């Protein structure tokens, strides 16, 4: 069940990537918000067994990390707009609030996971989710939670996972550099948290990220954003987010009887020689 819903999430992510790569024309307010609406609907439509992520419910690791991937997907969908410089005033503040909210929810889930389970066997994909959530929080919400706590937590998670996945070593170093650039005071016991970081060179980082950074190439994405996106944003927000018209699912409209195929199946099942 989890794999099925993860696959449907990845389909939305794929469409978001195509949008920002220019494969679907310009990234207009309508196009961006339609995909955002689909993200929200995806979470809303999860069955109850996959929705219970409170620590008291002791959700299984794959359920927790499914929700972490969802929050990171939304971050990556909206962050290019925040960094585009096209939004001002209330719209920019609201955009930042949305992004921070998803990052805060994401790190809460990671904290649940670390208290309930070991981070030693995290998938490499989750290592990237950790640093994207941490990056968002120390940039856009450095006081809630405190940026130094976020850095300590993320580096600690990566250190525990690095036993099984050496890729976490270069990611630790890159995130440590980000923390330094953002003026975050690293803990005095940083070496106890991260272990002895190696001297990672360009080749190590390329092997880990296929680029020299883990961050989104926002400068490339912004080129495909429509010039009037900020102007159209409030109107499209009301139409798509505040007053959505959700299409009926195929399951609800599909006939359960009376179709030729169904009748044929009934006749085959009832056939007696």
């Amino acid at each position: 069940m989890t794999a099925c819903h993860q696959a449907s999430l990845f389909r939305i992510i794929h469409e978001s990537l195509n949008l920002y790569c220019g494969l679907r024309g310009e990234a207009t307010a309508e196009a961006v918000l339609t995909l955002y609406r689909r993200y929200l609907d995806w979470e809303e439509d999860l069955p109850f067994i996959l929705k219970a992520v409170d620590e008291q419910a002791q959700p299984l690791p794959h359920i927790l990390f499914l929700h972490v991937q969802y929050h990171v997907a939304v971050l990556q969908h909206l962050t290019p707009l925040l960094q585009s410089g096209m939004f001002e005033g209330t719209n920019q503040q609201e955009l930042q609030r949305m992004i921070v909210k998803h990052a805060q929810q994401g790190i809460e889930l990671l904290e649940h996971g670390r208290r309930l389970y070991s981070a030693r066997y995290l998938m490499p994909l989750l290592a990237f989710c950790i640093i994207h959530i941490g990056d968002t929080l120390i940039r856009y919400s450095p006081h809630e939670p405190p940026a130094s706590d976020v850095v300590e937590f993320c580096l600690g998670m990566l250190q525990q996972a690095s036993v099984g996945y050496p890729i976490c070593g270069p990611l630790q170093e890159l995130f440590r550099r980000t923390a330094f650039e953002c003026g975050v005071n690293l803990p005095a016991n940083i070496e106890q948290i991260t272990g002895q970081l190696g001297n990672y060179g360009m080749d190590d980082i390329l092997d880990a990220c296929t680029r020299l950074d883990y961050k989104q190439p926002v400068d490339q994405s912004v080129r495909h954003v429509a010039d009037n996106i900020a102007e159209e944003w409030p109107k499209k927000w009301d139409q798509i987010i505040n007053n959505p018209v959700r299409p009926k699912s195929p399951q609800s409209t599909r006939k359960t009887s009376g179709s030729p195929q169904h009748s044929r199946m009934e006749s085959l099942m009832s056939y007696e020689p």
Side-chain angles (χ1 to χ4, degrees):
M1 180 186 294
T2 305
C4 177
H5 288 280
Q6 185 178 47
S8 64
L9 175 62
F10 283 1
R11 283 194 289 271
I12 307 174
I13 294 172
H14 181 70
E15 292 191 35
S16 176
L17 291 172
N18 284 341
L19 178 65
Y20 282 115
C21 288
L23 299 179
R24 302 290 176 87
E26 286 189 320
T28 62
E30 181 175 6
V32 172
L33 287 172
T34 297
L35 284 175
Y36 179 57
R37 178 76 257 174
R38 287 181 59 189
Y39 278 121
L40 298 179
D41 291 344
W42 176 89
E43 184 187 35
E44 183 181 342
D45 292 341
L46 287 174
F48 176 77
I49 195 172
L50 297 183
K51 277 187 176 181
V53 290
D54 291 338
E55 191 172 349
Q56 292 79 7
Q58 295 189 336
L60 293 172
H62 63 274
I63 296 177
L64 280 172
F65 298 146
L66 176 67
H67 285 264
V68 171
Q69 292 171 40
Y70 158 73
H71 289 296
V72 173
V74 175
L75 290 181
Q76 302 231 315
H77 183 63
L78 297 176
T79 296
L81 303 182
L82 185 61
Q83 297 182 0
S84 68
M86 297 180 178
F87 288 79
E88 298 177 348
T90 303
N91 287 338
Q92 183 183 26
Q93 294 171 8
E94 181 62 20
L95 196 57
Q96 181 169 322
R97 187 197 64 80
M98 291 161 54
I99 290 171
V100 167
K101 180 194 72 172
H102 283 283
Q104 289 172 338
Q105 291 176 348
I107 203 165
E108 286 178 6
L109 294 169
L110 290 171
E111 289 170 346
H112 292 348
R114 191 175 190 184
R115 283 192 291 266
L116 293 171
Y117 310 104
S118 170
R120 184 171 182 176
Y121 305 106
L122 283 179
M123 298 181 296
L125 173 60
L126 266 297
F128 283 93
C129 289
I130 289 168
I131 57 176
H132 281 298
I133 288 172
D135 186 290
T136 299
L137 289 174
I138 65 177
R139 288 181 189 278
Y140 301 116
S141 183
H143 305 296
E144 189 181 347
S148 57
D149 291 352
V150 171
V151 171
E152 181 177 350
F153 173 79
C154 293
L155 290 177
M157 287 277 286
L158 292 172
Q159 173 59 23
Q160 192 174 11
S162 67
V163 176
Y165 298 103
I167 190 177
C168 294
L171 295 182
Q172 269 187 306
E173 173 60 19
L174 288 173
F175 188 60
R176 186 192 64 78
R177 294 179 192 176
T178 296
F180 179 78
E181 291 170 3
C182 293
V184 180
N185 293 323
L186 297 179
N189 61 337
I190 186 66
E191 290 191 0
Q192 295 178 8
I193 298 170
T194 64
Q196 188 66 39
L197 289 176
N199 295 319
Y200 298 106
M202 186 181 298
D203 290 340
D204 299 304
I205 296 173
L206 285 172
D207 286 343
C209 305
T210 69
R211 299 185 298 113
L212 293 177
D213 204 347
Y214 64 84
K215 304 180 190 73
Q216 287 177 274
V218 173
D219 56 331
Q220 299 178 28
S221 302
V222 170
R223 294 202 300 258
H224 303 292
V225 175
D227 294 335
N228 67 340
I229 189 169
E231 179 184 347
E232 293 289 316
W233 190 265
K235 179 176 68 176
K236 296 301 179 182
W237 179 274
D238 284 338
Q239 293 175 358
I240 299 171
I241 306 301
N242 288 342
N243 301 292
V245 179
R246 296 188 60 181
K248 294 182 179 179
S249 64
Q251 289 81 2
S252 64
T253 57
R254 187 182 297 127
K255 293 182 179 180
T256 57
S257 62
S259 67
Q261 184 178 6
H262 183 82
S263 301
R264 183 183 175 191
M265 286 297 297
E266 282 189 334
S267 63
L268 288 173
M269 293 294 291
S270 61
Y271 173 72
E272 295 182 3

